[in-house]
Amino acid sequence: MEINSINAAVLAKMFLNGAKNLESKKEWINELNVFPVPDGDTGTNMSMTILAAAKEVSALEQPDMASIAKAMSSGSLRGARGNSGVILSQLFRGFAKVIGKEQEVTVPVLSHAVQKAVETAYKAVMKPKEGTILTVARGAADKAAQMAEETNDMVLFLDEVIKEAERVLKKTPDMLPVLKQAGVVDSGGQGLVVILQGAYDALLGKELDTASITASAGAGAAAKITKETEAEIKFGYCTEFIIVLDHPLLDHQERKYKSFLESIGDSIVVVADDEIVKTHVHTNDPGLAIQEALTHGSLSRIKIDNMREEHQERLIKDAQKVAAMQAAQADAAPQAQKEQEQKEIGFIAVSAGDGLSEVFRGLGADYMIEGGQTMNPSTEDILNAVEKVAADHVFVLPNNKNIILAANQAAELSEEKKVHVIPTKTIPQGITALINFIPEQTAEENEARMLEEIENVKTGQVTYAVRDTVIDEKEIRQDDYMGIGDKTILAVGKDLAQVTLAMAESMIDEDSAIVSIYYGEDVTEDDANAIAQKIQAVSDELEVEVQYGGQPIYYYLISVE
């Protein structure tokens, strides 16, 4: 089969199939999160981003290249969630700039569009990091430029580009040590490969059912449970294990091992070094994978999950997250409906937990966006919030490193108001930023002060592990408690109080003056006060405060200043 050009209708099918393929594999991509936390959401963020664009593409009655390009770009920009979603939206934005000017897409056009996509995405990230979705995209673009000189066949072109993307993806653990330690490839890069594979399948006439894509996009990509969705789980058991090798695998042995896994399943991730091989495969017969693995060495950390049983639970949980977020925003709507006098400076804060939201309101936040690590708000969510704040200058406190890019994107899209994004990576940084606001000073002066003060805040968060792994030489077992600092995991153990105290002690030094403890929805006030007493015992000069946060997933948020 040789295809030398594609029209608008075919391009739309390819885009929608890429979106559907990502949606069907988003949970697997979520599992590739480096830290074994219960809220890894790269797959969800990328899926909701592309589905926002897919909804607009699906609504086109007679699509041409210009209208498809506009729908892809506008939909993904406004629907972007999380860093991976924002980068994906920038890839689409650059891609759309090229194809929107064409009547049909040929290999040279597609190659140019891919180059522009990567160029646009790299410009959007201040400090691009290699070993991420950007690296995978650039590898694909480089291959596209090479193939454009060798063939006019779209099928051959895309096949080679995807193979190169997969090859670069496999190398991401060598570029980011944290990926190698965790035994995973980059989750954003994997999501991009899944989109490309779906688009390629559509070109070949192999399309997934995209009829429900509009409904999925409107409800958060996970709120619709159908028999068709269940049927998409072709292989029912998520199987993971580590092979402790008898001898290092030779290249041909590794290829043979992967080929075997491909013959019994899909969603395959194999990361090998001289001593171990981390394996992930979805299959209907985990025993076959285990038997083959045993020919290379002994096995450890075997984990087998029935995905068909878990699928309904996960869909319901995702739907509940979206419903809770929408309900919280609906509850917040009255604050925008009140008659407000236009003022110079207003504040928007992203918060997870009713206690934390009350803290922000008490410090003067005008509008709360319910969200955070478990559900990143989109660029459009932030834009809508900006419109509801009656101020000439609107400060946005993302309070999560995975929301900063979406906030920056909203600032660029805002036309009538000056939006200042204070890049707060944690809730305590956001609280510190608001505390340091001085009404008598200009927006620029306040922005400078906030940027300086948030650097003085150390944050620790306590949650639990969802899988076994090793990070920074700390061996972590499923269900262990973890104390996560600003840069790494500070404490691990079986006792929640001990882990929390160890984490806090590692954050405190001779310059520390204030320790603030925000306890979550699964912790009692008495337990939080007991932790506070032990922290107070570290030094009489410390001022230790305890406040109800009500945040899910994280038992404690602790800040040290």
Side-chain angles (χ1 to χ4, degrees), residues 216-439:
S216 295
K224 187 173 181 179
I225 302 172
T226 65
K227 291 182 179 179
E228 289 79 5
T229 304
E230 284 293 317
E232 287 172 7
I233 303 180
K234 182 179 179 182
F235 299 102
Y237 295 95
C238 175
T239 306
E240 297 178 80
F241 50 78
I242 290 176
I243 309 172
V244 181
L245 294 170
D246 292 334
H247 304 285
L249 282 185
L250 301 176
D251 287 345
H252 76 275
Q253 291 176 311
E254 185 177 341
R255 287 195 297 270
K256 182 179 178 182
Y257 176 57
K258 288 182 178 178
S259 295
F260 176 80
L261 294 177
E262 289 170 352
S263 72
I264 64 167
D266 66 6
S267 297
I268 294 158
V269 178
V270 174
V271 181
D273 61 22
D274 290 343
E275 296 179 354
I276 66 170
V277 178
K278 176 71 180 289
T279 299
H280 175 288
V281 60
H282 291 176
T283 178
N284 285 326
D285 194 338
L288 292 176
I290 289 171
Q291 288 173 22
E292 179 67 18
L294 284 170
T295 64
H296 298 292
S298 59
L299 303 188
S300 70
R301 302 183 187 176
I302 300 173
K303 181 172 176 282
I304 301 172
D305 294 322
N306 186 326
M307 294 190 297
R308 292 189 177 98
E309 288 182 357
E310 292 184 345
H311 187 62
Q312 292 284 349
E313 296 177 13
R314 286 174 174 171
L315 287 172
I316 291 169
K317 285 180 181 178
D318 274 359
Q320 288 172 336
K321 285 181 185 178
V322 174
M325 189 178 195
Q326 292 172 341
Q329 291 173 353
D331 290 341
Q335 64 186 314
Q337 295 170 358
K338 295 176 183 177
E339 286 295 325
Q340 295 179 338
E341 289 186 15
Q342 190 77 8
K343 56 184 179 178
E344 181 69 15
I345 298 174
F347 287 93
I348 295 168
V350 179
S351 174
D354 52 346
L356 295 173
S357 295
E358 283 304 313
V359 172
F360 279 114
R361 289 191 185 98
L363 292 172
D366 298 277
Y367 194 92
M368 304 303 304
I369 299 178
E370 189 72 18
Q373 189 61 25
T374 54
M375 178 57 74
N376 298 152
S378 68
T379 297
E380 187 164 31
D381 292 332
I382 298 170
L383 269 174
N384 290 339
V386 167
E387 292 305 311
K388 292 171 183 175
V389 176
D392 299 323
H393 293 263
V394 179
F395 281 67
V396 178
L397 306 174
N399 301 331
N400 186 295
K401 65 182 180 181
N402 208 33
I403 301 174
I404 294 172
L405 282 182
N408 287 336
Q409 195 153 274
E412 292 178 8
L413 294 174
S414 179
E415 297 178 353
E416 297 182 1
K417 299 177 182 180
K418 172 64 176 176
V419 178
H420 305 256
V421 177
I422 306 300
T424 50
K425 297 178 181 178
T426 64
I427 291 286
Q429 281 191 338
I431 291 171
T432 294
L434 268 177
I435 288 173
N436 282 278
F437 171 61
I438 299 177

Side-chain angles (χ1 to χ4, degrees), residues 65-121:
M65 289 297 180
S67 62
I68 291 175
K70 183 178 179 181
M72 287 171 56
S73 179
S74 175
S76 61
L77 283 172
R78 291 181 172 272
R81 297 174 188 268
N83 292 344
S84 55
V86 172
I87 293 171
L88 182 63
S89 73
Q90 291 294 327
L91 288 170
F92 290 144
R93 183 184 185 186
F95 184 85
K97 286 179 181 177
V98 174
I99 65 160
K101 300 175 182 178
E102 305 292 334
Q103 297 302 313
E104 63 177 12
V105 174
T106 60
V107 164
V109 170
L110 192 53
S111 176
H112 182 203
V114 173
Q115 312 297 321
K116 191 66 175 178
V118 173
E119 176 189 329
T120 304

Side-chain angles (χ1 to χ4, degrees), residues 511-532:
D511 297 324
S512 301
I514 302 173
V515 177
S516 300
I517 302 172
Y518 305 92
Y519 62 95
E521 62 182 7
D522 296 321
V523 176
T524 67
E525 185 176 3
D526 288 343
D527 287 341
N529 285 329
I531 293 289

